């Protein structure tokens, strides 16, 4: 058997069910590893005694012959904006440090009902408004492959704990790429489901039009199993046949201005797919940049005020959006959310409604037409470059030029987020500097199972990504 920390979700669940390993032994190994990698600063809350008690209870249930769920005894970490009763839900912001929800979020409860153990809450970019996970309140989260670099965001802790082998899987949330970006930077698989496939309740929001939770794991089969637990559907277990699979390659926009090592590894993955029988179709998505820009910030910066206040009220908290902003500890977050409160800079309702009711439907139609033309999945680099260095919050260097950090990193993941379609980031190799690179596959809205089947196929086809050396 593999070392305990190398067990993926499916393997760990099978080993526990068969009595080959106890949940207690697995969690003890992971607790020790989490302590050894505390310098990554990936957790905001981890109660070791609580984890041990849950593991022992899981072992007693198995020994007593009780009914075991598909995730029985498997430790999973949750992003710190997903409600849990056992640990605080802070969304990485000072005003919510003491927030103890009365109910688990439905996505979390589904995991617990299936037997999963809450291992801890993972750090994030404050209020999920950024991609560096450099948090002014909780500190910077570090990349497991190179601690001098960022893990991505906003689900940076969720990516770091999976990449570092501290847990077999985690949940994050994705508004514009916040599951897929950390997956790409930390060497994990990351899945953004179709909008509303996963329940939004009990998750500190940015935008109901764009938000969804999603899993990060080291194998595609783990994504499929977790998705089935959350949705109640039969898990995808059979890889798609790549022979004849029509793969759209949108060279304009998605493949433009890409880091050379990222391009090399993603092109190699495409070549591998082609050798396996996939048909690569050079096909662009018309007007994608303009449509994405017309939707993204206008929707998010309008809805965050409304949706966060609704969350706070539903949680029975006596603070509101303005109080959250006043106490924000990260300068970038305080600045952008402060603009929402200023009538001179806030998004006017008319602009918001045009973005939501005119531009977004056009973007959705562009994707619908793209896939309706006979394309099964769209393929492109998840991010234009590997993980940048810590501290480069405003600008990063891409192909020798200084470019805006946030807009550049989410350039490729933003459009599908705004359209609400499913996407999966697949690790395709390490750069010469030892940094992970992800290739994203997107599919038509509602074709989540087909997309996961494609991820299963690539997982069996591509060599496993080496673990971090530390």
């Amino acid at each position: 058997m593999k070392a305990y920390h190398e067990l993926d979700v499916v393997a760990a669940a099978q080993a526990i069910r068969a009595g080959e390993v106890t949940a207690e032994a697995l969690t003890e190994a992971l607790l020790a590893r989490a302590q050894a990698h505390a310098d990554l600063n990936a957790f905001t809350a981890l109660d070791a005694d609580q984890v041990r008690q849950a593991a022992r209870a899981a072992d007693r249930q198995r020994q007593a012959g009780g009914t075991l769920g598909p995730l029985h005894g498997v430790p999973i970490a949750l992003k710190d904006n997903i409600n849990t009763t056992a640990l605080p839900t802070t969304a990485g912001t000072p005003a919510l440090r003491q927030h103890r929800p009365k109910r688990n979020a439905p996505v979390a409860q589904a995991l617990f009902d299936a037997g999963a153990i809450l291992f801890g809450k993972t750090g994030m970019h404050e209020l999920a408004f950024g991609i560096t996970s450099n948090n002014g309140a909780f500190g910077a989260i570090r990349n497991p492959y190179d601690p001098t670099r960022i893990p991505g965001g906003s689900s940076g802790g969720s990516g770091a704990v999976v990449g570092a082998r501290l847990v077999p899987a985690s949940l994050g949330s994705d508004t514009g790429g916040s599951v897929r970006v950390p997956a790409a930077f930390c060497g994990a698989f990351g899945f953004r489901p179709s909008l509303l496939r996963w329940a939004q309740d009990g998750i500190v929001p940015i935008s109901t039009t764009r938000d969804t939770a999603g899993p990060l794991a080291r194998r595609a089969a783990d994504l499929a199993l977790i998705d089935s637990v959350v949705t109640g559907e039969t898990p995808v277990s059979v890889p798609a046949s790549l022979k004849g699979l029509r793969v759209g390659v949108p060279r304009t926009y998605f493949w433009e201005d890409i880091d050379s090592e990222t391009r090399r590894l993603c092109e190699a993955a495409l070549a591998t797919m082609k050798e396996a029988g996939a048909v690569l179709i050079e096909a662009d998505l018309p007007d994608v940049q303009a449509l994405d820009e017309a939707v993204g910030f206008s929707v998010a910066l309008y809805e965050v005020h409304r949706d966060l206040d609704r969350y706070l009220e539903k949680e029975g908290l006596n603070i509101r959006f303005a109080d959250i902003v006043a106490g924000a500890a990260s300068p970038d977050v305080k600045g952008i959310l402060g603009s929402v409160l200023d009538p001179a800079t806030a998004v006017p309702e008319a602009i918001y409604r045009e973005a939501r009711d005119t531009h977004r439907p056009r973007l959705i139609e562009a994707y619908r037409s793209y896939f309706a033309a006979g394309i099964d999945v769209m393929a492109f680099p998840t991010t234009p470059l590997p993980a940048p260095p810590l501290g480069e919050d405003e600008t990063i260097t891409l192909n020798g030029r200084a470019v805006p950090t946030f807009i550049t990193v989410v350039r490729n993941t933003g459009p599908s987020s705004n359209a609400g379609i499913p996407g999966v980031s697949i690790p395709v190799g390490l750069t010469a500097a030892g940094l992970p690179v992800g290739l994203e596959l997107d599919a038509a809205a509602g074709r989540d199972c087909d997309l996961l089947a494609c991820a299963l196929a690539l997982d069996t086809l591509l060599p496993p990504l080496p673990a971090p050396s530390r």
Side-chain angles (χ1 to χ4, degrees), residues 175 192 195-196 200 205-212 299-300 303-304 306-307 310 352 356 360:
T175 301
R192 176 191 165 95
L195 188 70
L196 300 182
Q200 292 179 330
I206 291 178
S207 161
T208 53
T209 299
R210 298 177 54 183
D211 292 348
T212 182
V299 169
E303 291 188 348
V304 66
R306 179 197 70 191
D307 293 349
R310 287 175 178 172
Y352 162 66
R356 188 194 64 182
R360 184 170 181 266

Side-chain angles (χ1 to χ4, degrees), residues 293-456:
E293 290 175 353
V295 178
F297 281 114
S298 295
V299 169
L301 292 179
Y302 185 91
E303 291 188 348
V304 66
H305 190 172
R306 179 197 70 191
D307 293 349
L308 187 49
D309 271 346
R310 287 175 178 172
Y311 170 87
L312 296 169
E313 183 177 4
K314 189 171 183 179
E315 290 296 301
L317 300 173
N318 60 3
I319 58 173
R320 291 296 179 263
F321 180 81
D323 304 304
I324 298 284
V325 175
S330 305
D332 58 336
V333 176
K334 196 176 186 73
I336 194 168
L337 295 185
S339 71
V340 173
L341 292 171
D342 185 346
T345 52
V347 176
E349 183 176 357
I351 297 297
Y352 162 66
R353 293 197 178 279
E354 183 179 19
R356 188 194 64 182
D357 300 336
T358 300
H359 300 305
R360 184 170 181 266
R362 288 174 180 167
L363 180 62
I364 291 171
E365 176 57 25
Y367 272 105
R368 190 203 65 78
S369 298
Y370 188 88
F371 292 113
I375 290 174
D376 298 309
V377 293
M378 176 191 289
F380 52 88
T382 308
T383 59
L385 75 173
L390 285 167
E392 297 187 354
D393 297 335
E394 299 298 325
T395 61
I396 52 177
T397 301
L398 174 60
N399 293 328
R401 302 174 352 269
V403 293
T405 302
F406 180 84
I407 293 172
T408 300
V409 171
V410 301
R411 186 189 78 193
N412 283 359
T413 56
S416 55
S417 305
N418 285 319
I421 66 173
V424 60
S425 182
I426 297 167
V428 293
L430 300 178
T431 67
L435 299 174
V437 166
L439 178 77
E440 180 160 342
L441 300 182
D442 285 352
R447 301 298 294 270
D448 299 62
C449 292
D450 293 337
L451 181 63
L452 288 169
C454 289
L456 287 174

